[in-house]
Amino acid sequence: MTVLPTGEQYRLTSAGAEAVVVQVGGGLRAYRDGGRDLVDGFGEREMAGNARGHVLAPWPNRLDGGRYTWDGAEHVTPLSEAETGNAIHGLVRFAAWQLVDRSSDAVTLEHLLHPQPGYPFTLLLRIRYELSASGLRVETTATNCGDVPLPYGEGHHPYLAAGAGLHVDDCTLTAPGATRLETDQRALPVGAVPVAGTPYDLRDGRVIGDLLIDHCFTDLARDDDGLARVHLAGPDGRGATVWMDGAYEYLQLFTGDVVPEPRRRRGLAVEPMTCPPNALASGEGVRRLEPGESTTAVWGIAPLG
């Protein structure tokens, strides 16, 4: 028996669009609409590299030394980014998720994260992908199934596609963050600065060019519907929008400069996050879930142009 690297493939179709969600990691492998790839995903027989399409829980981004203190007890998680001495992107990226239900245009998966070294809590994660004529909607719900309070944060890691034969250099990026988190050599936050007057002021849109971006932004401007939006458009004006509800107060953008060729700068990672990097250690933005308590966050991708 041959098993695909990312397990079962759940294909969603609606109004001529198609998306593929995978069993391993519960992430998004592909999304195509109008004859154009909206995400820079990966092949059916590939492992998801560079966190491509991953669900990031129970924390997104990096955790310094894998260490944090919760209710007076110190915890140490395995270091998944050994070169920097960090734990990165949580604990479920390569876990098998279980199918809850599916239809032609939607799928719901869940994963029960059992207590383990560094995260001795019981967390049920459920994620629903729904494809429609207006785009792809992603809803993530976390529930504390244990008997003690737990710390929680999450994010998602899609790469928006620059377009056939293009790099992100050729694209115009519009993003809503008024504040950028500065980082040290290990990509951990050391301060926050306004983006006004800097190359990272993306609020009115700019051609990316040779700008290197691997930063977290906050103070996100929101439209009248309460959603924050990031737009990536090619020279023809076509592209994709990532939108996120109020649960996502942080946004990581990454131009893919350390991604190996031929994928380097072929896609822009747009990562909605409920908390910033190193949040379990700093406490910033971390959600405290009491036993039996749940929290839900919603984001999505829509065609642009």
Side-chain angles (χ1 to χ4, degrees), residues 258-297:
V258 298
V259 174
E261 294 289 3
R263 305 295 290 275
R264 181 178 178 272
R265 292 180 73 90
R266 293 283 185 175
L268 174 77
V270 179
E271 308 166 43
M273 303 191 305
T274 64
C275 56
N278 206 33
L280 290 191
S282 70
E284 184 176 350
V286 173
R287 179 68 187 268
R288 181 184 183 92
L289 289 183
E290 300 292 337
E293 187 179 5
S294 297
T295 185
T296 297

Side-chain angles (χ1 to χ4, degrees), residues 15 41 49 58 61 78-79 82 87 95 102 114 140 174 176 185 201-202 205 215 268 270 282 305:
N61 217 288
L79 300 183
R102 69 177 300 189
H114 291 281
T140 306
T174 308
Q185 293 182 340
D201 190 347
L202 307 167
H215 301 284
L268 174 77
V270 179
S282 70

Side-chain angles (χ1 to χ4, degrees), residues 81-227:
E81 192 180 56
E83 64 272 22
T84 62
N86 294 319
I88 188 169
H89 291 334
L91 301 169
V92 300
R93 292 166 59 196
F94 298 101
W97 290 58
Q98 304 301 310
L99 178 65
V100 176
D101 63 58
R102 69 177 300 189
S103 62
S104 62
D105 59 2
V107 64
T108 301
L109 304 175
E110 70 178 22
H111 177 71
L112 182 61
L113 184 64
H114 291 281
Q116 57 190 275
Y119 196 79
F121 311 104
T122 306
L123 179 68
L124 178 65
L125 295 165
R126 177 171 288 201
I127 184 167
R128 178 176 175 80
Y129 295 87
E130 184 173 1
L131 187 62
S132 70
S134 60
L136 182 68
R137 181 182 187 274
V138 186
E139 179 178 288
T140 306
T141 299
T143 303
N144 183 350
C145 292
D147 56 7
V148 296
L150 62 78
Y152 175 73
E154 60 102 338
H156 295 262
H157 208 300
Y159 285 75
L160 296 186
L166 299 176
H167 292 81
V168 296
D169 313 47
D170 308 303
C171 297
T172 297
L173 172 61
T174 308
T179 300
R180 180 178 63 90
L181 303 189
E182 292 188 313
T183 55
D184 62 16
Q185 293 182 340
R186 295 170 57 223
L188 296 167
V190 294
V193 295
V195 299
T198 78
Y200 299 102
D201 190 347
L202 307 167
R203 292 172 292 180
D204 294 326
R206 61 157 289 175
V207 175
I208 293 176
D210 60 0
L211 184 65
L212 309 182
I213 310 174
D214 189 7
H215 301 284
C216 179
F217 297 81
T218 189
D219 295 328
L220 307 181
R222 297 185 180 273
D223 296 329
D224 291 342
D225 57 6
L227 302 178

